Amino acid sequence: MARNGIFDDVAIDIMHGISQNKLEEKIDDEVDVNYIFSILEEYGRSIVRRHFCMETLKKANELQHMNDRELGMICDYLKPKVFEENAKVVEVGEPLNAMLYIIAGSMQVSLPIADVGEVVPSTSFETIEKGMFVGEQLLDWAAKTKTFDDQPASFKSVRCVEKVEAFALTVDDLETLVLSGDIFPMKSKAGILKIAADPKIREKLEAIFLWMEINGISDDVAIGIMHAFSENKLKENIHAEVDVNYIFSVLDECGRSIMRRHFCTEMLKKVKELRTMNDQALGTICDYLKPKMFEENAQVVEAGQPLNAMLYIITGSMQAYLPIRAAGEACPSTSFETLEKGMFVGKQLLDWAAKTKTFYDQPVSFKTVRCAEKVEAFALTVNDLKTLVVSRDIFQRSSKSEV
């Protein structure tokens, strides 16, 4: 312990619960990290792990945002590992089964070179020694993977120059940590719920995930949407009903953008005026979409009134009535068309925006539209359409005079 930088007071704590029976059983064994772990109780092992690994884990790019509690959970999964001199750690192209942190000894890392179509070891190498990682890319993989069946391969060959003592974090333990929400908590529902200490906040998050599930948002997309929700905004409106307006109010712009694109990109592609647009242009339109709520029986627009927005319905339904004329006056019809999830209201605004030269000739609705029930929708307003056209993001005009 002294040789490995463990001070006397820490060493005394580590050895507080040593097993004399185990010492006697292995009295002739060489003292290394494996041996020490074999004679310690869990409390002492925990101190050893934290002493060697806690501060170094904080320096790993993927872990810099973590607090001591989360880093401590990673430490709890670390296992001692000993490699003899000249032992192979991993060969290039082989699956990486663990990330190693070296506490004693050194390794050589050689990059492969191609020779007549075959990969052969390089004669040049890099030395990895005490205080360094092997396989650190596993952390990046664990932070990004969705399936855990795409385990990365080593792009280097690693062998021991001398006896090496290390701590290992295995792929299986990484998967356990992620799926339990103990690290990278925003990668799983369990993790997102776990970071909410307040039961009311947790209940609200569960309601938001349920709304997303009901509305066809898969778990991986939902996790991406909720990656940076605001707990303060959740608290401010803790009793509000969960709908598209509420969810937008607690999300950052990245989460909002994912939602807009999830609901609207594919449907926008089916609109005649937008079929020639690429995904970038459609994404720009999505960026302007605003969530809009209508209560049951609310009037959306009256026949003859200006159309102020195009709506895309994501939940609920509306009734669109064609007016009939009686004694020279327009009266509502008793027959109607039902507009429901996945349908547009005011789609003619796109045709107008593609053709108008002045933007002062805003079209009027030729139908009266009312809500048969509560409706959630996304709205593209006339002003935002004008901005998109004038900025030449959509419906590019052939000359300045047309703009």
Side-chain angles (χ1 to χ4, degrees), residues 57-68:
L57 286 173
K58 290 179 180 179
K59 297 174 185 177
N61 287 336
E62 293 79 8
L63 306 181
Q64 286 175 1
H65 66 285
M66 292 189 181
N67 58 36
D68 285 350

Side-chain angles (χ1 to χ4, degrees), residues 1 11 14-45 48 80:
M1 291 188 185
I14 290 170
M15 298 296 286
H16 191 266
I18 193 171
S19 166
Q20 190 162 337
N21 289 336
K22 289 180 180 177
L23 266 174
E24 291 174 354
E25 289 171 11
K26 303 180 178 184
I27 198 67
D28 296 316
D29 288 6
E30 183 179 358
V31 174
D32 55 28
V33 67
N34 265 350
Y35 177 78
I36 292 172
F37 260 57
S38 74
I39 64 170
L40 292 180
E41 63 174 9
E42 186 51 40
Y43 174 73
R45 294 173 182 173
V48 174

Side-chain angles (χ1 to χ4, degrees), residues 276-293:
T276 61
M277 291 189 183
N278 58 31
D279 286 347
Q280 182 181 348
L282 292 171
T284 303
I285 296 175
C286 286
D287 290 338
Y288 281 85
L289 296 173
K290 297 174 174 66
K292 187 76 174 173
M293 296 294 310

Side-chain angles (χ1 to χ4, degrees), residues 239-257:
H239 299 297
E241 184 178 356
V242 173
D243 54 32
V244 67
N245 262 352
Y246 178 77
I247 294 173
F248 258 57
S249 75
V250 303
L251 294 180
D252 68 354
E253 187 51 41
C254 177
R256 294 172 182 173
S257 179

Side-chain angles (χ1 to χ4, degrees), residues 100-358:
L100 301 174
Y101 173 65
I102 301 172
I103 62 172
S106 61
M107 299 177 178
Q108 285 182 346
V109 177
S110 59
L111 287 168
I113 56 175
D115 183 24
V116 197
E118 294 185 2
V119 176
V120 297
S122 170
T123 54
S124 62
F125 57 83
E126 170 194 0
T127 298
I128 298 179
E129 51 196 5
K130 180 179 178 178
M132 300 175 74
F133 291 100
V134 177
E136 191 178 356
Q137 62 264 42
L138 277 179
L139 292 175
D140 182 65
W141 166 76
K144 295 175 180 175
T145 187
K146 295 178 181 179
T147 63
F148 290 98
D149 59 3
D150 55 344
Q151 187 174 334
S154 177
F155 49 86
K156 299 176 180 180
S157 293
V158 184
R159 285 178 170 77
C160 296
V161 179
E162 56 189 321
K163 179 176 177 178
V164 171
E165 299 173 71
F167 282 103
L169 182 63
T170 68
V171 164
D172 289 342
D173 288 338
L174 259 176
E175 181 177 354
T176 299
L177 281 162
V178 172
L179 294 181
S180 67
D182 288 327
I183 66 168
F184 309 133
M186 304 310 287
K187 275 184 62 62
S188 67
K189 284 185 181 180
I192 293 172
L193 295 172
K194 187 173 285 189
I195 64 174
D198 186 335
K200 291 183 178 178
I201 296 293
R202 197 176 306 118
E203 184 179 342
K204 206 68 176 178
L205 288 170
E206 288 174 343
I208 290 172
F209 278 125
L210 178 61
W211 183 95
M212 292 184 181
E213 183 180 344
I214 290 170
N215 285 284
I217 299 178
S218 63
D219 283 355
D220 56 340
V221 175
I223 291 162
I225 291 170
M226 296 298 288
H227 194 267
F229 72 91
S230 167
E231 191 163 335
N232 288 334
K233 290 179 180 176
L234 272 173
K235 286 179 181 176
E236 288 171 11
N237 298 295
I238 197 67
H239 299 297
E241 184 178 356
V242 173
D243 54 32
V244 67
N245 262 352
Y246 178 77
I247 294 173
F248 258 57
S249 75
V250 303
L251 294 180
D252 68 354
E253 187 51 41
C254 177
R256 294 172 182 173
S257 179
I258 296 172
M259 272 191 71
R260 293 185 189 105
R261 283 162 170 72
H262 169 81
F263 281 111
C264 304
T265 300
E266 291 305 313
M267 295 308 299
L268 288 173
K269 289 179 180 179
K270 298 176 182 178
V271 177
K272 182 178 68 174
E273 291 80 5
L274 307 179
R275 285 175 188 163
T276 61
M277 291 189 183
N278 58 31
D279 286 347
Q280 182 181 348
L282 292 171
T284 303
I285 296 175
C286 286
D287 290 338
Y288 281 85
L289 296 173
K290 297 174 174 66
K292 187 76 174 173
M293 296 294 310
F294 299 92
E295 296 302 322
E296 185 178 358
N297 297 320
Q299 178 178 292
V300 179
V301 65
E302 195 77 39
Q305 290 182 346
L307 271 173
N308 294 316
M310 178 184 79
L311 301 174
Y312 174 66
I313 301 171
I314 60 172
T315 68
S317 61
M318 299 177 178
Q319 293 174 343
Y321 298 83
L322 279 170
I324 55 174
R325 296 199 170 271
E329 294 184 1
C331 304
S333 169
T334 54
S335 62
F336 56 83
E337 173 194 3
T338 299
L339 304 172
E340 52 195 4
K341 178 178 179 178
M343 300 177 73
F344 290 93
V345 178
K347 192 162 51 172
Q348 62 264 42
L349 275 178
L350 290 174
D351 183 64
W352 165 77
K355 296 174 180 176
T356 186
K357 295 181 179 180
T358 65

